[in-house]
mmCIF file of all heavy atoms in Angstrom:
data_model
loop_
_atom_site.group_PDB
_atom_site.id
_atom_site.type_symbol
_atom_site.label_atom_id
_atom_site.label_comp_id
_atom_site.label_asym_id
_atom_site.label_seq_id
_atom_site.Cartn_x
_atom_site.Cartn_y
_atom_site.Cartn_z
ATOM 1 N N SER W 887 89.924 151.244 89.256
ATOM 2 C CA SER W 887 89.030 150.649 88.272
ATOM 3 C C SER W 887 88.053 151.665 87.707
ATOM 4 O O SER W 887 87.765 151.668 86.505
ATOM 5 C CB SER W 887 88.254 149.481 88.894
ATOM 6 O OG SER W 887 89.108 148.417 89.227
ATOM 7 N N ILE W 888 87.528 152.542 88.562
ATOM 8 C CA ILE W 888 86.510 153.472 88.084
ATOM 9 C C ILE W 888 87.081 154.421 87.045
ATOM 10 O O ILE W 888 86.434 154.742 86.047
ATOM 11 C CB ILE W 888 85.865 154.254 89.256
ATOM 12 C CG1 ILE W 888 84.655 155.029 88.751
ATOM 13 C CG2 ILE W 888 86.881 155.164 89.937
ATOM 14 C CD1 ILE W 888 83.787 155.585 89.856
ATOM 15 N N ASP W 889 88.324 154.889 87.238
ATOM 16 C CA ASP W 889 88.966 155.766 86.260
ATOM 17 C C ASP W 889 89.141 155.053 84.934
ATOM 18 O O ASP W 889 88.817 155.575 83.868
ATOM 19 C CB ASP W 889 90.339 156.222 86.764
ATOM 20 C CG ASP W 889 90.245 157.400 87.720
ATOM 21 O OD1 ASP W 889 89.132 157.935 87.885
ATOM 22 O OD2 ASP W 889 91.276 157.775 88.285
ATOM 23 N N VAL W 890 89.689 153.840 85.014
ATOM 24 C CA VAL W 890 89.984 153.069 83.811
ATOM 25 C C VAL W 890 88.706 152.731 83.058
ATOM 26 O O VAL W 890 88.582 152.970 81.851
ATOM 27 C CB VAL W 890 90.752 151.784 84.168
ATOM 28 C CG1 VAL W 890 90.939 150.906 82.936
ATOM 29 C CG2 VAL W 890 92.102 152.119 84.781
ATOM 30 N N VAL W 891 87.733 152.173 83.767
ATOM 31 C CA VAL W 891 86.511 151.711 83.124
ATOM 32 C C VAL W 891 85.712 152.878 82.542
ATOM 33 O O VAL W 891 85.200 152.793 81.419
ATOM 34 C CB VAL W 891 85.655 150.886 84.103
ATOM 35 C CG1 VAL W 891 84.298 150.570 83.503
ATOM 36 C CG2 VAL W 891 86.383 149.598 84.475
ATOM 37 N N LEU W 892 85.598 153.981 83.285
ATOM 38 C CA LEU W 892 84.854 155.131 82.779
ATOM 39 C C LEU W 892 85.475 155.662 81.489
ATOM 40 O O LEU W 892 84.765 155.995 80.539
ATOM 41 C CB LEU W 892 84.803 156.240 83.831
ATOM 42 C CG LEU W 892 83.825 156.035 84.988
ATOM 43 C CD1 LEU W 892 83.960 157.163 85.999
ATOM 44 C CD2 LEU W 892 82.387 155.950 84.478
ATOM 45 N N GLY W 893 86.794 155.731 81.459
ATOM 46 C CA GLY W 893 87.468 156.215 80.262
ATOM 47 C C GLY W 893 87.252 155.296 79.076
ATOM 48 O O GLY W 893 86.958 155.738 77.967
ATOM 49 N N LEU W 894 87.369 153.998 79.303
ATOM 50 C CA LEU W 894 87.191 153.033 78.222
ATOM 51 C C LEU W 894 85.742 152.987 77.757
ATOM 52 O O LEU W 894 85.461 152.892 76.557
ATOM 53 C CB LEU W 894 87.651 151.646 78.667
ATOM 54 C CG LEU W 894 89.150 151.514 78.967
ATOM 55 C CD1 LEU W 894 89.441 150.153 79.581
ATOM 56 C CD2 LEU W 894 89.982 151.720 77.706
ATOM 57 N N GLU W 895 84.812 153.054 78.695
ATOM 58 C CA GLU W 895 83.395 153.038 78.321
ATOM 59 C C GLU W 895 83.013 154.297 77.548
ATOM 60 O O GLU W 895 82.071 154.281 76.752
ATOM 61 C CB GLU W 895 82.517 152.904 79.564
ATOM 62 C CG GLU W 895 82.549 151.504 80.177
ATOM 63 C CD GLU W 895 81.640 151.388 81.386
ATOM 64 O OE1 GLU W 895 81.270 152.431 81.958
ATOM 65 O OE2 GLU W 895 81.316 150.239 81.761
ATOM 66 N N ALA W 896 83.740 155.385 77.783
ATOM 67 C CA ALA W 896 83.472 156.622 77.054
ATOM 68 C C ALA W 896 83.967 156.544 75.618
ATOM 69 O O ALA W 896 83.644 157.412 74.805
ATOM 70 C CB ALA W 896 84.126 157.804 77.764
ATOM 71 N N GLY W 897 84.750 155.506 75.310
ATOM 72 C CA GLY W 897 85.219 155.336 73.939
ATOM 73 C C GLY W 897 86.721 155.381 73.778
ATOM 74 O O GLY W 897 87.223 155.324 72.651
ATOM 75 N N ALA W 898 87.476 155.496 74.883
ATOM 76 C CA ALA W 898 88.938 155.502 74.775
ATOM 77 C C ALA W 898 89.430 154.137 74.302
ATOM 78 O O ALA W 898 88.808 153.106 74.560
ATOM 79 C CB ALA W 898 89.559 155.858 76.120
ATOM 80 N N ASP W 899 90.553 154.142 73.617
ATOM 81 C CA ASP W 899 91.131 152.915 73.089
ATOM 82 C C ASP W 899 92.169 152.309 74.020
ATOM 83 O O ASP W 899 92.453 151.121 73.955
ATOM 84 C CB ASP W 899 91.766 153.196 71.726
ATOM 85 C CG ASP W 899 90.745 153.698 70.732
ATOM 86 O OD1 ASP W 899 90.011 152.866 70.169
ATOM 87 O OD2 ASP W 899 90.657 154.930 70.533
ATOM 88 N N ASP W 900 92.747 153.122 74.875
ATOM 89 C CA ASP W 900 93.770 152.638 75.802
ATOM 90 C C ASP W 900 93.916 153.676 76.910
ATOM 91 O O ASP W 900 93.329 154.760 76.845
ATOM 92 C CB ASP W 900 95.102 152.446 75.066
ATOM 93 C CG ASP W 900 96.041 151.462 75.760
ATOM 94 O OD1 ASP W 900 95.728 151.041 76.903
ATOM 95 O OD2 ASP W 900 97.070 151.117 75.174
ATOM 96 N N TYR W 901 94.695 153.337 77.927
ATOM 97 C CA TYR W 901 94.978 154.307 78.975
ATOM 98 C C TYR W 901 96.402 154.097 79.481
ATOM 99 O O TYR W 901 96.975 153.009 79.367
ATOM 100 C CB TYR W 901 93.976 154.194 80.133
ATOM 101 C CG TYR W 901 94.293 153.097 81.113
ATOM 102 C CD1 TYR W 901 94.982 153.372 82.300
ATOM 103 C CD2 TYR W 901 93.938 151.778 80.852
ATOM 104 C CE1 TYR W 901 95.301 152.362 83.190
ATOM 105 C CE2 TYR W 901 94.238 150.771 81.723
ATOM 106 C CZ TYR W 901 94.930 151.063 82.902
ATOM 107 O OH TYR W 901 95.250 150.056 83.770
ATOM 108 N N VAL W 902 96.974 155.156 80.021
ATOM 109 C CA VAL W 902 98.316 155.118 80.599
ATOM 110 C C VAL W 902 98.239 155.770 81.965
ATOM 111 O O VAL W 902 97.623 156.827 82.134
ATOM 112 C CB VAL W 902 99.338 155.867 79.715
ATOM 113 C CG1 VAL W 902 100.706 155.911 80.388
ATOM 114 C CG2 VAL W 902 99.445 155.207 78.338
ATOM 115 N N THR W 903 98.857 155.131 82.944
ATOM 116 C CA THR W 903 98.835 155.646 84.307
ATOM 117 C C THR W 903 100.012 156.588 84.566
ATOM 118 O O THR W 903 101.146 156.300 84.182
ATOM 119 C CB THR W 903 98.898 154.489 85.321
ATOM 120 O OG1 THR W 903 97.803 153.604 85.078
ATOM 121 C CG2 THR W 903 98.812 155.001 86.749
ATOM 122 N N LYS W 904 99.730 157.735 85.175
ATOM 123 C CA LYS W 904 100.774 158.688 85.569
ATOM 124 C C LYS W 904 101.288 158.336 86.971
ATOM 125 O O LYS W 904 100.522 157.827 87.774
ATOM 126 C CB LYS W 904 100.211 160.113 85.561
ATOM 127 C CG LYS W 904 99.762 160.598 84.183
ATOM 128 C CD LYS W 904 99.460 162.078 84.163
ATOM 129 C CE LYS W 904 98.255 162.455 84.975
ATOM 130 N NZ LYS W 904 97.883 163.875 84.872
ATOM 131 N N PRO W 905 102.573 158.609 87.232
ATOM 132 C CA PRO W 905 103.567 159.167 86.306
ATOM 133 C C PRO W 905 104.014 158.125 85.284
ATOM 134 O O PRO W 905 104.117 156.944 85.612
ATOM 135 C CB PRO W 905 104.717 159.565 87.233
ATOM 136 C CG PRO W 905 104.615 158.634 88.394
ATOM 137 C CD PRO W 905 103.142 158.388 88.582
ATOM 138 N N PHE W 906 104.236 158.554 84.064
ATOM 139 C CA PHE W 906 104.621 157.624 83.013
ATOM 140 C C PHE W 906 105.997 157.977 82.471
ATOM 141 O O PHE W 906 106.444 159.119 82.518
ATOM 142 C CB PHE W 906 103.602 157.641 81.875
ATOM 143 C CG PHE W 906 103.225 159.022 81.406
ATOM 144 C CD1 PHE W 906 104.057 159.746 80.565
ATOM 145 C CD2 PHE W 906 102.026 159.594 81.810
ATOM 146 C CE1 PHE W 906 103.712 161.018 80.148
ATOM 147 C CE2 PHE W 906 101.671 160.872 81.385
ATOM 148 C CZ PHE W 906 102.518 161.584 80.557
ATOM 149 N N ASP W 907 106.668 156.966 81.969
ATOM 150 C CA ASP W 907 107.945 157.157 81.297
ATOM 151 C C ASP W 907 107.659 157.612 79.866
ATOM 152 O O ASP W 907 106.782 157.067 79.197
ATOM 153 C CB ASP W 907 108.727 155.846 81.300
ATOM 154 C CG ASP W 907 110.071 155.977 80.618
ATOM 155 O OD1 ASP W 907 111.059 156.319 81.280
ATOM 156 O OD2 ASP W 907 110.125 155.732 79.394
ATOM 157 N N GLY W 908 108.400 158.604 79.414
ATOM 158 C CA GLY W 908 108.171 159.137 78.082
ATOM 159 C C GLY W 908 108.277 158.088 76.995
ATOM 160 O O GLY W 908 107.480 158.078 76.043
ATOM 161 N N ALA W 909 109.245 157.172 77.143
ATOM 162 C CA ALA W 909 109.427 156.128 76.136
ATOM 163 C C ALA W 909 108.233 155.182 76.105
ATOM 164 O O ALA W 909 107.826 154.707 75.035
ATOM 165 C CB ALA W 909 110.712 155.355 76.414
ATOM 166 N N VAL W 910 107.668 154.912 77.281
ATOM 167 C CA VAL W 910 106.487 154.040 77.350
ATOM 168 C C VAL W 910 105.299 154.711 76.683
ATOM 169 O O VAL W 910 104.552 154.078 75.919
ATOM 170 C CB VAL W 910 106.158 153.686 78.814
ATOM 171 C CG1 VAL W 910 104.818 152.968 78.909
ATOM 172 C CG2 VAL W 910 107.266 152.819 79.409
#
């Protein structure tokens, strides 16, 4: 939660968790 929320509160529009599929 802290990673996600900090990024979004900083102004990010979305997030993707690694490892991620290239198509995703």
Side-chain angles (χ1 to χ4, degrees):
S887 294
I888 190 168
D889 278 353
V890 174
V891 172
L892 284 176
L894 295 172
E895 287 182 341
D899 299 280
D900 203 352
Y901 81 97
V902 176
T903 303
K904 297 191 293 185
F906 48 79
D907 180 89
V910 171

